[in-house]
Amino acid sequence: MEQLMADLKVQIIEALNLKHLKPEDIGDDQPLFIEGLGLDSIDALELIVLLQQKHNTKIANAQDGPKIFKSVRSIAEYVRANQAAA
Amino acid sequence: MTITSYCIIRNQQVLTPNETLSLTQPSFDDFLTALYDRLQPNYPRFYKMDNQSKLGFLAAEILLKEYSIQSYKPETVSVVLSNANASLDTDIRFEASTQTVASPSLFVYTLANIVMGEICIRHSIKGENAFFVAPEFNARLMTSYSHQVLNQNKTEVCLAGWVDVLGGQHNVFLYLVENRERGLALPHTATELEKLYRQ
């Protein structure tokens, strides 16, 4: 799980062009939207693409988005659960 | 109604009435980053922009740093821009991304006038705006439209010019036209504009 979260931080910075940040600037449980990193709706779409491309993981229900994308840890948990189920 | 100041960016060189700055870099992307680092606007949103918006943003930073428009009410500042290639530079990148998964963040920049939105967000501009796509810089069109905007009661200052990017080729000419006199105080005529643009 720790490695997955570390990978996700690098991938999020790359995919979302957060070049002013380093992976260590993103906390495992830090909120990603509004407060925290301040991501927006376009970033959410990029995160969906990232999970599809890098982790072969699809968001089955759009309504689950806010819960899944709450933090790096919640994304990692979703990826892990989804991969385990596949 | 006079031209207050201007900022030209071509061939990785920045030209203003007071300064010529060369920031030669291996690539256009590197040049944009180098110029951003030099200006230090501390605006992380910059990294998310496409190259056209980055270029317009940086030119506006340089221009408005010296000639602030903060004393104007946001509704009295207008933006009139033009270019030849619309958003083609980003359209091509977006089209390439569709070969795998279409990029949402590229898609939102596939409109020529997004650069105006980025400048307006940064500088809290809420006045009228217009974007013209033309084969080349048309001083007569720009003068005529800006004149019309400034002659309406609402607009007091107009940020106008040319912001064109395609495949690393870039050409920016941004200038300020104001009802009050300051800075260069050049007459706002097509002849003066053409002279500034062609230098």
Side-chain angles (χ1 to χ4, degrees), chain A residues 37-64:
Chain A
L37 284 192
L39 303 186
D40 59 24
S41 56
I42 301 300
D43 295 320
L45 294 173
E46 285 291 348
L47 287 176
I48 291 169
V49 172
L50 188 157
L51 292 192
Q52 270 183 242
Q53 284 190 314
K54 304 275 187 190
H55 300 278
N56 198 25
T57 301
K58 286 190 176 181
I59 309 289
N61 187 348
Q63 289 177 332
D64 293 337

Side-chain angles (χ1 to χ4, degrees), chain A residues 12-28:
Chain A
I12 287 170
I13 287 172
E14 173 72 22
L16 274 50
N17 280 319
L18 304 173
K19 289 177 183 167
H20 59 297
L21 294 178
K22 294 184 181 122
E24 55 267 31
D25 295 331
I26 305 174
D28 296 343

Side-chain angles (χ1 to χ4, degrees), chain A residues 57 77-86:
Chain A
T57 301
E77 285 170 351
Y78 182 79
V79 169
R80 183 60 60 83
N82 190 279
Q83 285 177 334

Side-chain angles (χ1 to χ4, degrees), chain B:
Chain B
M1 192 181 300
T2 62
I3 301 167
T4 308
S5 189
Y6 64 86
C7 174
I8 291 171
I9 305 180
R10 286 175 194 140
N11 304 317
Q12 302 197 4
Q13 198 173 56
V14 180
L15 181 67
T16 66
N18 306 320
E19 193 184 13
T20 302
L21 171 69
S22 285
L23 277 176
T24 309
Q25 301 291 320
S27 71
F28 178 53
D29 288 4
D30 291 338
F31 165 74
L32 291 170
T33 306
L35 187 52
Y36 175 86
D37 290 344
R38 187 181 175 93
L39 297 171
Q40 295 190 313
N42 189 24
Y43 194 70
R45 187 182 168 88
F46 172 83
Y47 296 111
K48 292 174 174 285
M49 297 177 194
D50 72 340
N51 282 349
Q52 183 174 311
S53 292
K54 283 180 177 173
L55 200 54
F57 171 90
L58 292 169
E61 284 296 299
I62 294 165
L63 187 59
L64 302 179
K65 197 173 186 178
E66 195 167 353
Y67 289 94
S68 172
I69 52 170
Q70 283 182 346
S71 61
Y72 291 105
K73 286 183 187 165
E75 296 80 10
T76 68
V77 183
S78 292
V79 184
V80 180
L81 295 183
S82 181
N83 79 4
N85 289 297
S87 58
L88 186 57
D89 189 67
T90 302
D91 296 348
I92 291 167
R93 289 168 202 257
F94 175 70
E95 202 277 335
S97 82
T98 62
Q99 302 303 312
T100 51
V101 180
S103 164
S105 59
L106 278 176
F107 178 71
V108 295
Y109 285 98
T110 56
L111 281 173
N113 61 353
I114 300 297
V115 58
M116 290 199 304
E118 293 292 2
I119 293 172
C120 289
I121 291 168
R122 168 64 168 166
H123 299 282
S124 304
I125 296 170
K126 294 180 180 173
E128 185 171 334
N129 64 62
F131 196 104
F132 299 100
V133 178
E136 58 184 16
F137 179 71
N138 186 332
R140 209 172 267 193
L141 167 73
M142 295 302 289
T143 315
S144 154
Y145 195 85
S146 303
H147 225 90
Q148 201 175 319
V149 167
L150 281 154
N151 274 333
Q152 292 168 351
N153 291 332
K154 278 185 182 171
T155 297
E156 291 183 44
V157 55
C158 186
L159 174 64
W162 181 262
V163 182
D164 197 46
V165 182
L166 185 58
Q169 295 294 313
H170 54 284
N171 184 8
V172 178
F173 170 51
L174 271 193
Y175 57 92
L176 273 180
V177 186
E178 298 180 63
N179 279 330
R180 73 180 183 205
E181 281 194 16
R182 61 173 178 160
L184 295 174
L186 295 170
H188 181 229
T189 63
T191 310
E192 279 300 335
L193 265 191
E194 193 73 36
K195 216 188 292 176
L196 290 176
Y197 177 76
R198 299 284 169 203
Q199 64 183 296

